[in-house]
Amino acid sequence: MQVITELKTRGVQDIFIACVDGLKGFPEAIEAIYPQTQIQLCIVDPVRHSLFYVSHKDRKEVATDLKSIYQALTLDEADYQLGKFAEKWNSAYPMVVRSWQANWARIIPMFSFAPEIRKAIYTTNTIESLNMTLRKIIKNRALFSSDEAVFKILY
């Protein structure tokens, strides 16, 4: 809550959409301060979570079926694909099906955007990848003569 409150204090008036990972309470904190914000759950996290519970022999097929859900062109198609997924996999992996159904409201906001925009908002992995790269670059250098030296290495 403190991070979101600080954004508000620093002058952020509104957040249109926020892509979040599985951090407990973070979506609720955003909604408390910015009630109009759409919360999009990072798709990579529920997929990883789902595949953790799937046997090795079924992983490829389950992953393909999950992809048909989150890559659907419309919300109606995604709903239909989720229903097909539940029908097919509920007996073998009921926990996976329940997880997608329970998180559905946080998965579907991306369907109100064009496919080109969805690519930018459906995952936090781009930011995570950038942060990992920056940490790797900075970690190998123990000391920097100035802030400008850090920026030169990063670019």
Side-chain angles (χ1 to χ4, degrees), residues 86-109:
E87 212 174 275
K88 181 176 180 178
W89 294 109
N90 195 45
S91 60
Y93 305 109
M95 188 171 182
V96 172
V97 172
R98 277 194 309 270
S99 174
W100 276 77
Q101 291 169 336
N103 290 305
W104 194 239
R106 299 239 192 256
I107 291 171
I108 63 171

PDB file of all heavy atoms in Angstrom, residues 86-109:
ATOM      1  N   ALA A  86     -11.688 -26.630 -19.080  1.00  0.00           N
ATOM      2  CA  ALA A  86     -12.242 -27.195 -17.843  1.00  0.00           C
ATOM      3  C   ALA A  86     -12.848 -28.572 -18.101  1.00  0.00           C
ATOM      4  O   ALA A  86     -12.644 -29.510 -17.313  1.00  0.00           O
ATOM      5  CB  ALA A  86     -13.281 -26.244 -17.256  1.00  0.00           C
ATOM      6  N   GLU A  87     -13.571 -28.691 -19.188  1.00  0.00           N
ATOM      7  CA  GLU A  87     -14.196 -29.961 -19.543  1.00  0.00           C
ATOM      8  C   GLU A  87     -13.147 -31.055 -19.748  1.00  0.00           C
ATOM      9  O   GLU A  87     -13.302 -32.192 -19.285  1.00  0.00           O
ATOM     10  CB  GLU A  87     -14.985 -29.760 -20.845  1.00  0.00           C
ATOM     11  CG  GLU A  87     -16.222 -30.599 -20.985  1.00  0.00           C
ATOM     12  CD  GLU A  87     -16.970 -30.198 -22.233  1.00  0.00           C
ATOM     13  OE1 GLU A  87     -17.760 -29.236 -22.161  1.00  0.00           O
ATOM     14  OE2 GLU A  87     -16.743 -30.832 -23.280  1.00  0.00           O
ATOM     15  N   LYS A  88     -12.082 -30.699 -20.426  1.00  0.00           N
ATOM     16  CA  LYS A  88     -11.042 -31.657 -20.780  1.00  0.00           C
ATOM     17  C   LYS A  88     -10.145 -32.034 -19.594  1.00  0.00           C
ATOM     18  O   LYS A  88      -9.782 -33.192 -19.425  1.00  0.00           O
ATOM     19  CB  LYS A  88     -10.183 -31.082 -21.908  1.00  0.00           C
ATOM     20  CG  LYS A  88      -9.081 -31.982 -22.390  1.00  0.00           C
ATOM     21  CD  LYS A  88      -8.370 -31.336 -23.576  1.00  0.00           C
ATOM     22  CE  LYS A  88      -7.241 -32.203 -24.106  1.00  0.00           C
ATOM     23  NZ  LYS A  88      -6.600 -31.566 -25.276  1.00  0.00           N
ATOM     24  N   TRP A  89      -9.786 -31.053 -18.763  1.00  0.00           N
ATOM     25  CA  TRP A  89      -8.746 -31.273 -17.762  1.00  0.00           C
ATOM     26  C   TRP A  89      -9.222 -31.287 -16.309  1.00  0.00           C
ATOM     27  O   TRP A  89      -8.428 -31.585 -15.415  1.00  0.00           O
ATOM     28  CB  TRP A  89      -7.648 -30.206 -17.904  1.00  0.00           C
ATOM     29  CG  TRP A  89      -6.909 -30.309 -19.190  1.00  0.00           C
ATOM     30  CD1 TRP A  89      -6.977 -29.450 -20.245  1.00  0.00           C
ATOM     31  CD2 TRP A  89      -5.996 -31.339 -19.579  1.00  0.00           C
ATOM     32  NE1 TRP A  89      -6.161 -29.870 -21.261  1.00  0.00           N
ATOM     33  CE2 TRP A  89      -5.538 -31.035 -20.881  1.00  0.00           C
ATOM     34  CE3 TRP A  89      -5.509 -32.486 -18.950  1.00  0.00           C
ATOM     35  CZ2 TRP A  89      -4.629 -31.828 -21.561  1.00  0.00           C
ATOM     36  CZ3 TRP A  89      -4.597 -33.284 -19.634  1.00  0.00           C
ATOM     37  CH2 TRP A  89      -4.170 -32.954 -20.917  1.00  0.00           C
ATOM     38  N   ASN A  90     -10.487 -31.000 -16.052  1.00  0.00           N
ATOM     39  CA  ASN A  90     -10.948 -30.908 -14.661  1.00  0.00           C
ATOM     40  C   ASN A  90     -10.770 -32.208 -13.888  1.00  0.00           C
ATOM     41  O   ASN A  90     -10.435 -32.177 -12.705  1.00  0.00           O
ATOM     42  CB  ASN A  90     -12.393 -30.432 -14.592  1.00  0.00           C
ATOM     43  CG  ASN A  90     -12.758 -29.987 -13.193  1.00  0.00           C
ATOM     44  OD1 ASN A  90     -12.004 -29.267 -12.550  1.00  0.00           O
ATOM     45  ND2 ASN A  90     -13.904 -30.443 -12.707  1.00  0.00           N
ATOM     46  N   SER A  91     -10.983 -33.345 -14.532  1.00  0.00           N
ATOM     47  CA  SER A  91     -10.850 -34.607 -13.793  1.00  0.00           C
ATOM     48  C   SER A  91      -9.384 -34.895 -13.444  1.00  0.00           C
ATOM     49  O   SER A  91      -9.096 -35.418 -12.365  1.00  0.00           O
ATOM     50  CB  SER A  91     -11.450 -35.769 -14.593  1.00  0.00           C
ATOM     51  OG  SER A  91     -10.771 -35.900 -15.832  1.00  0.00           O
ATOM     52  N   ALA A  92      -8.467 -34.535 -14.324  1.00  0.00           N
ATOM     53  CA  ALA A  92      -7.045 -34.803 -14.069  1.00  0.00           C
ATOM     54  C   ALA A  92      -6.396 -33.717 -13.208  1.00  0.00           C
ATOM     55  O   ALA A  92      -5.561 -34.018 -12.348  1.00  0.00           O
ATOM     56  CB  ALA A  92      -6.293 -34.929 -15.390  1.00  0.00           C
ATOM     57  N   TYR A  93      -6.772 -32.457 -13.447  1.00  0.00           N
ATOM     58  CA  TYR A  93      -6.120 -31.330 -12.772  1.00  0.00           C
ATOM     59  C   TYR A  93      -7.144 -30.301 -12.294  1.00  0.00           C
ATOM     60  O   TYR A  93      -7.176 -29.164 -12.763  1.00  0.00           O
ATOM     61  CB  TYR A  93      -5.105 -30.666 -13.710  1.00  0.00           C
ATOM     62  CG  TYR A  93      -4.100 -31.639 -14.259  1.00  0.00           C
ATOM     63  CD1 TYR A  93      -4.126 -32.022 -15.597  1.00  0.00           C
ATOM     64  CD2 TYR A  93      -3.134 -32.204 -13.429  1.00  0.00           C
ATOM     65  CE1 TYR A  93      -3.212 -32.928 -16.096  1.00  0.00           C
ATOM     66  CE2 TYR A  93      -2.211 -33.118 -13.919  1.00  0.00           C
ATOM     67  CZ  TYR A  93      -2.258 -33.476 -15.251  1.00  0.00           C
ATOM     68  OH  TYR A  93      -1.346 -34.381 -15.736  1.00  0.00           O
ATOM     69  N   PRO A  94      -7.997 -30.691 -11.339  1.00  0.00           N
ATOM     70  CA  PRO A  94      -9.051 -29.760 -10.890  1.00  0.00           C
ATOM     71  C   PRO A  94      -8.493 -28.477 -10.270  1.00  0.00           C
ATOM     72  O   PRO A  94      -9.097 -27.414 -10.396  1.00  0.00           O
ATOM     73  CB  PRO A  94      -9.840 -30.578  -9.861  1.00  0.00           C
ATOM     74  CG  PRO A  94      -8.911 -31.669  -9.429  1.00  0.00           C
ATOM     75  CD  PRO A  94      -8.028 -31.952 -10.610  1.00  0.00           C
ATOM     76  N   MET A  95      -7.331 -28.567  -9.641  1.00  0.00           N
ATOM     77  CA  MET A  95      -6.726 -27.387  -9.017  1.00  0.00           C
ATOM     78  C   MET A  95      -6.347 -26.339 -10.074  1.00  0.00           C
ATOM     79  O   MET A  95      -6.501 -25.141  -9.848  1.00  0.00           O
ATOM     80  CB  MET A  95      -5.497 -27.805  -8.226  1.00  0.00           C
ATOM     81  CG  MET A  95      -4.901 -26.725  -7.393  1.00  0.00           C
ATOM     82  SD  MET A  95      -3.648 -27.491  -6.360  1.00  0.00           S
ATOM     83  CE  MET A  95      -3.129 -26.083  -5.457  1.00  0.00           C
ATOM     84  N   VAL A  96      -5.880 -26.796 -11.219  1.00  0.00           N
ATOM     85  CA  VAL A  96      -5.505 -25.891 -12.313  1.00  0.00           C
ATOM     86  C   VAL A  96      -6.752 -25.192 -12.845  1.00  0.00           C
ATOM     87  O   VAL A  96      -6.755 -23.966 -13.028  1.00  0.00           O
ATOM     88  CB  VAL A  96      -4.775 -26.656 -13.439  1.00  0.00           C
ATOM     89  CG1 VAL A  96      -4.564 -25.771 -14.663  1.00  0.00           C
ATOM     90  CG2 VAL A  96      -3.446 -27.210 -12.935  1.00  0.00           C
ATOM     91  N   VAL A  97      -7.791 -25.951 -13.071  1.00  0.00           N
ATOM     92  CA  VAL A  97      -9.043 -25.376 -13.586  1.00  0.00           C
ATOM     93  C   VAL A  97      -9.605 -24.363 -12.593  1.00  0.00           C
ATOM     94  O   VAL A  97      -9.976 -23.244 -12.969  1.00  0.00           O
ATOM     95  CB  VAL A  97     -10.074 -26.491 -13.894  1.00  0.00           C
ATOM     96  CG1 VAL A  97     -11.435 -25.884 -14.241  1.00  0.00           C
ATOM     97  CG2 VAL A  97      -9.570 -27.382 -15.027  1.00  0.00           C
ATOM     98  N   ARG A  98      -9.645 -24.735 -11.311  1.00  0.00           N
ATOM     99  CA  ARG A  98     -10.164 -23.820 -10.277  1.00  0.00           C
ATOM    100  C   ARG A  98      -9.347 -22.532 -10.210  1.00  0.00           C
ATOM    101  O   ARG A  98      -9.891 -21.442 -10.032  1.00  0.00           O
ATOM    102  CB  ARG A  98     -10.182 -24.507  -8.911  1.00  0.00           C
ATOM    103  CG  ARG A  98     -11.396 -25.373  -8.673  1.00  0.00           C
ATOM    104  CD  ARG A  98     -11.559 -25.751  -7.208  1.00  0.00           C
ATOM    105  NE  ARG A  98     -10.359 -26.315  -6.604  1.00  0.00           N
ATOM    106  CZ  ARG A  98     -10.061 -27.601  -6.580  1.00  0.00           C
ATOM    107  NH1 ARG A  98     -10.874 -28.476  -7.137  1.00  0.00           N
ATOM    108  NH2 ARG A  98      -8.955 -28.032  -6.007  1.00  0.00           N
ATOM    109  N   SER A  99      -8.039 -22.668 -10.358  1.00  0.00           N
ATOM    110  CA  SER A  99      -7.168 -21.499 -10.301  1.00  0.00           C
ATOM    111  C   SER A  99      -7.492 -20.511 -11.425  1.00  0.00           C
ATOM    112  O   SER A  99      -7.591 -19.309 -11.192  1.00  0.00           O
ATOM    113  CB  SER A  99      -5.706 -21.952 -10.386  1.00  0.00           C
ATOM    114  OG  SER A  99      -4.851 -20.848 -10.470  1.00  0.00           O
ATOM    115  N   TRP A 100      -7.659 -21.019 -12.641  1.00  0.00           N
ATOM    116  CA  TRP A 100      -7.994 -20.130 -13.767  1.00  0.00           C
ATOM    117  C   TRP A 100      -9.382 -19.515 -13.582  1.00  0.00           C
ATOM    118  O   TRP A 100      -9.577 -18.334 -13.870  1.00  0.00           O
ATOM    119  CB  TRP A 100      -7.893 -20.893 -15.091  1.00  0.00           C
ATOM    120  CG  TRP A 100      -6.481 -20.916 -15.569  1.00  0.00           C
ATOM    121  CD1 TRP A 100      -5.471 -21.712 -15.103  1.00  0.00           C
ATOM    122  CD2 TRP A 100      -5.900 -20.060 -16.541  1.00  0.00           C
ATOM    123  NE1 TRP A 100      -4.308 -21.407 -15.748  1.00  0.00           N
ATOM    124  CE2 TRP A 100      -4.532 -20.409 -16.640  1.00  0.00           C
ATOM    125  CE3 TRP A 100      -6.400 -19.051 -17.357  1.00  0.00           C
ATOM    126  CZ2 TRP A 100      -3.663 -19.764 -17.514  1.00  0.00           C
ATOM    127  CZ3 TRP A 100      -5.531 -18.420 -18.236  1.00  0.00           C
ATOM    128  CH2 TRP A 100      -4.178 -18.772 -18.305  1.00  0.00           C
ATOM    129  N   GLN A 101     -10.316 -20.295 -13.108  1.00  0.00           N
ATOM    130  CA  GLN A 101     -11.659 -19.766 -12.885  1.00  0.00           C
ATOM    131  C   GLN A 101     -11.662 -18.715 -11.775  1.00  0.00           C
ATOM    132  O   GLN A 101     -12.318 -17.681 -11.894  1.00  0.00           O
ATOM    133  CB  GLN A 101     -12.638 -20.902 -12.571  1.00  0.00           C
ATOM    134  CG  GLN A 101     -12.899 -21.781 -13.783  1.00  0.00           C
ATOM    135  CD  GLN A 101     -13.647 -23.063 -13.457  1.00  0.00           C
ATOM    136  OE1 GLN A 101     -13.626 -23.559 -12.333  1.00  0.00           O
ATOM    137  NE2 GLN A 101     -14.304 -23.626 -14.469  1.00  0.00           N
ATOM    138  N   ALA A 102     -10.907 -18.957 -10.722  1.00  0.00           N
ATOM    139  CA  ALA A 102     -10.859 -18.018  -9.593  1.00  0.00           C
ATOM    140  C   ALA A 102     -10.182 -16.702  -9.980  1.00  0.00           C
ATOM    141  O   ALA A 102     -10.550 -15.639  -9.479  1.00  0.00           O
ATOM    142  CB  ALA A 102     -10.118 -18.656  -8.418  1.00  0.00           C
ATOM    143  N   ASN A 103      -9.214 -16.762 -10.866  1.00  0.00           N
ATOM    144  CA  ASN A 103      -8.473 -15.567 -11.282  1.00  0.00           C
ATOM    145  C   ASN A 103      -8.999 -14.941 -12.571  1.00  0.00           C
ATOM    146  O   ASN A 103      -8.413 -13.978 -13.068  1.00  0.00           O
ATOM    147  CB  ASN A 103      -6.979 -15.906 -11.458  1.00  0.00           C
ATOM    148  CG  ASN A 103      -6.309 -16.170 -10.143  1.00  0.00           C
ATOM    149  OD1 ASN A 103      -6.352 -15.345  -9.242  1.00  0.00           O
ATOM    150  ND2 ASN A 103      -5.703 -17.335 -10.016  1.00  0.00           N
ATOM    151  N   TRP A 104     -10.073 -15.468 -13.100  1.00  0.00           N
ATOM    152  CA  TRP A 104     -10.584 -15.063 -14.408  1.00  0.00           C
ATOM    153  C   TRP A 104     -10.822 -13.547 -14.513  1.00  0.00           C
ATOM    154  O   TRP A 104     -10.480 -12.926 -15.504  1.00  0.00           O
ATOM    155  CB  TRP A 104     -11.847 -15.842 -14.739  1.00  0.00           C
ATOM    156  CG  TRP A 104     -12.257 -15.741 -16.174  1.00  0.00           C
ATOM    157  CD1 TRP A 104     -13.441 -15.262 -16.657  1.00  0.00           C
ATOM    158  CD2 TRP A 104     -11.500 -16.137 -17.327  1.00  0.00           C
ATOM    159  NE1 TRP A 104     -13.482 -15.336 -18.022  1.00  0.00           N
ATOM    160  CE2 TRP A 104     -12.289 -15.865 -18.465  1.00  0.00           C
ATOM    161  CE3 TRP A 104     -10.234 -16.663 -17.525  1.00  0.00           C
ATOM    162  CZ2 TRP A 104     -11.853 -16.117 -19.765  1.00  0.00           C
ATOM    163  CZ3 TRP A 104      -9.798 -16.924 -18.814  1.00  0.00           C
ATOM    164  CH2 TRP A 104     -10.599 -16.641 -19.914  1.00  0.00           C
ATOM    165  N   ALA A 105     -11.375 -12.946 -13.482  1.00  0.00           N
ATOM    166  CA  ALA A 105     -11.662 -11.504 -13.519  1.00  0.00           C
ATOM    167  C   ALA A 105     -10.389 -10.676 -13.667  1.00  0.00           C
ATOM    168  O   ALA A 105     -10.418  -9.576 -14.219  1.00  0.00           O
ATOM    169  CB  ALA A 105     -12.421 -11.081 -12.264  1.00  0.00           C
ATOM    170  N   ARG A 106      -9.265 -11.197 -13.206  1.00  0.00           N
ATOM    171  CA  ARG A 106      -7.987 -10.483 -13.306  1.00  0.00           C
ATOM    172  C   ARG A 106      -7.211 -10.877 -14.571  1.00  0.00           C
ATOM    173  O   ARG A 106      -6.206 -10.277 -14.884  1.00  0.00           O
ATOM    174  CB  ARG A 106      -7.133 -10.758 -12.077  1.00  0.00           C
ATOM    175  CG  ARG A 106      -7.785 -10.304 -10.784  1.00  0.00           C
ATOM    176  CD  ARG A 106      -6.917  -9.312 -10.078  1.00  0.00           C
ATOM    177  NE  ARG A 106      -7.347  -9.043  -8.717  1.00  0.00           N
ATOM    178  CZ  ARG A 106      -7.982  -7.950  -8.383  1.00  0.00           C
ATOM    179  NH1 ARG A 106      -8.291  -7.045  -9.278  1.00  0.00           N
ATOM    180  NH2 ARG A 106      -8.322  -7.746  -7.124  1.00  0.00           N
ATOM    181  N   ILE A 107      -7.664 -11.917 -15.256  1.00  0.00           N
ATOM    182  CA  ILE A 107      -7.017 -12.354 -16.492  1.00  0.00           C
ATOM    183  C   ILE A 107      -7.626 -11.665 -17.710  1.00  0.00           C
ATOM    184  O   ILE A 107      -6.926 -11.373 -18.671  1.00  0.00           O
ATOM    185  CB  ILE A 107      -7.112 -13.894 -16.635  1.00  0.00           C
ATOM    186  CG1 ILE A 107      -6.240 -14.569 -15.571  1.00  0.00           C
ATOM    187  CG2 ILE A 107      -6.716 -14.362 -18.023  1.00  0.00           C
ATOM    188  CD1 ILE A 107      -6.407 -16.082 -15.475  1.00  0.00           C
ATOM    189  N   ILE A 108      -8.899 -11.368 -17.660  1.00  0.00           N
ATOM    190  CA  ILE A 108      -9.616 -10.924 -18.864  1.00  0.00           C
ATOM    191  C   ILE A 108      -9.542  -9.439 -19.238  1.00  0.00           C
ATOM    192  O   ILE A 108      -9.957  -9.100 -20.347  1.00  0.00           O
ATOM    193  CB  ILE A 108     -11.098 -11.351 -18.810  1.00  0.00           C
ATOM    194  CG1 ILE A 108     -11.811 -10.700 -17.635  1.00  0.00           C
ATOM    195  CG2 ILE A 108     -11.204 -12.859 -18.802  1.00  0.00           C
ATOM    196  CD1 ILE A 108     -13.317 -10.906 -17.633  1.00  0.00           C
ATOM    197  N   PRO A 109      -9.040  -8.530 -18.422  1.00  0.00           N
ATOM    198  CA  PRO A 109      -9.030  -7.132 -18.866  1.00  0.00           C
ATOM    199  C   PRO A 109      -8.331  -6.908 -20.208  1.00  0.00           C
ATOM    200  O   PRO A 109      -8.721  -6.050 -20.989  1.00  0.00           O
ATOM    201  CB  PRO A 109      -8.303  -6.394 -17.743  1.00  0.00           C
ATOM    202  CG  PRO A 109      -8.615  -7.181 -16.533  1.00  0.00           C
ATOM    203  CD  PRO A 109      -8.613  -8.613 -17.017  1.00  0.00           C
TER     204      PRO A 109
END
